[in-house]
Structure formats: structure tokens, C-alpha cells
Amino acid sequence: MADLNELLNMIPLDQLGAKLGVDADTARATAATALPSLLAGLQNNAASPDGADALSAAIAQHDATFLDGGVDIDAVDTADGQKIVQHALGENQSALASQLSGAAGGGVDLGALVQKALPILAPLVMAFLAKKLSSSQGGLGGMLGGLLGGQEAGNGQAPGGLDLGGILGGLFGGGNSAGQQQPGQGAGGPDLGGILGGLFGKK
């Protein structure tokens, strides 16, 4: 099963940190928040047949080999990234940033960092999805659910960790919330907060 950590580990954190004006550890924490947020938005859009078709077409337009041989952040088309983010999160962008802003502690405005990182990371996500979709047996919905649900090993959230699942669930609402079970996910849906449990808990 495709693992979101696989994509996270491809990202050159020093380079991303330079773009965001933060150190590599904060850049990793930002990416670890931004990636599931973006995927949850894409999964929300793919819940309908029309949405799934549109997302599949968009993924097909991205080069599945872009991640091969290492990622160069400077080569990312952030204008394309902003379009992806707008499609995935829409009006939820500002609400997400607002709810994340005070979540990190230590004077880190996680919301602002995530909002700045999303257009950089979005094309990487699409290239990753293009690469993984060709080998996925569960289709688009199953793959997205697997990426998010595959994080369930992160259960056991550390004190101070973020309840990202709750935040995203509140944004998307209803049966499409990221915190509720989707096809291809484990029982109860992913504990997205668990991804971040240890990242900011020590600050």
C-alpha cells in the first residue's frame, strides 16, 4: 500500500525550509500537516463520481516521473499548485489556516506555514498520485483512503499533538469528513492527529 510517509521522505526539507523561512524540523512538521490536509480535500472531492472523474483527469495531466531521481523544489510549478489547492480545499483554506495557527506552540504559526507550503507541495502530491494510481488495485478512492488510513500506525497521540482529523472533519462536514470512515479506510477512519502527535508535542 502506498504510504504518505514515502512522499514525505522524498521532500528536501532544507530546501522547503528555505522557501518557508524555517528550519528543516519545522518544514517537516509543516509538510506532515499540509499533505494529509490536501489529500483529505482531494478525497472529499472524489466522493462523487463526477468529482472522481475530474480528479483522475487532473492526475493524468501530471508527470508520474517528476519525483524520480529526487525532488527539486525550485522546479515545482507553484501556479499549478495553487490551482490544485483551490480545487481541493476551496474556501476551507482560510479556515484551516485559522484553526492551525495557534496549534503548534513555540511561536510557530503553523497555519501560515501550511498555507504557504500547500502550493509547493500540491504538484508533488499529484505526481505521487499519478505514479501510485497506475499500480493501485482499489481505484482512486481506495488509494486516497489507503494513503490517509495507512497513517493509523500513528495512533497514540502525544500530549500537545494536533487533532487534525477533528479539524478536517469540521471543515468538510457530513459523511465526507476526513475523520469519518471512507471506502478503503480502516474502521473509524484515519487518526490524522496521530501523524503530528510527536512533532509539536515537545515545543
Side-chain angles (χ1 to χ4, degrees):
M1 177 184 295
D3 186 340
L4 193 54
N5 284 324
E6 181 182 346
L7 175 57
L8 183 61
N9 291 333
M10 292 179 184
I11 298 170
L13 297 175
D14 288 342
Q15 201 178 14
L16 178 62
K19 291 286 188 183
L20 301 178
V22 298
D23 60 32
D25 286 343
T26 305
R28 182 178 179 85
T30 301
T33 309
L35 292 175
S37 299
L38 183 63
L39 283 167
L42 293 173
Q43 185 184 42
N44 186 66
N45 289 344
S48 70
D50 287 347
D53 288 346
L55 179 55
S56 294
I59 290 172
Q61 294 174 11
H62 288 81
D63 184 2
T65 65
F66 182 73
L67 302 176
D68 294 349
V71 173
D72 180 5
I73 294 292
D74 290 331
V76 172
D77 182 352
T78 54
D80 176 50
Q82 187 57 59
K83 292 177 184 177
I84 297 165
V85 174
Q86 180 60 37
H87 181 74
L89 297 175
E91 61 187 20
N92 290 321
Q93 291 178 68
S94 58
L96 176 65
S98 176
Q99 293 196 48
L100 290 174
S101 287
V108 175
D109 187 346
L110 182 61
L113 289 175
V114 166
Q115 201 163 30
K116 190 173 181 180
L118 279 169
I120 300 171
L121 299 175
L124 305 183
V125 169
M126 297 297 273
F128 184 72
L129 293 177
K131 192 176 189 68
K132 295 300 180 182
L133 190 57
S134 62
S135 59
S136 173
Q137 297 182 2
L140 180 59
M143 183 180 67
L144 291 171
L147 283 168
L148 290 169
Q151 297 298 330
E152 289 181 321
N155 285 348
Q157 185 174 343
L162 304 180
D163 178 18
L164 185 57
I167 292 173
L168 296 176
L171 291 177
F172 298 120
N176 289 337
S177 96
Q180 297 189 18
Q181 188 170 354
Q182 296 277 350
Q185 289 182 346
D191 174 22
L192 292 174
I195 305 171
L196 308 167
L199 293 175
F200 293 110
K202 297 178 182 179
K203 291 191 179 296

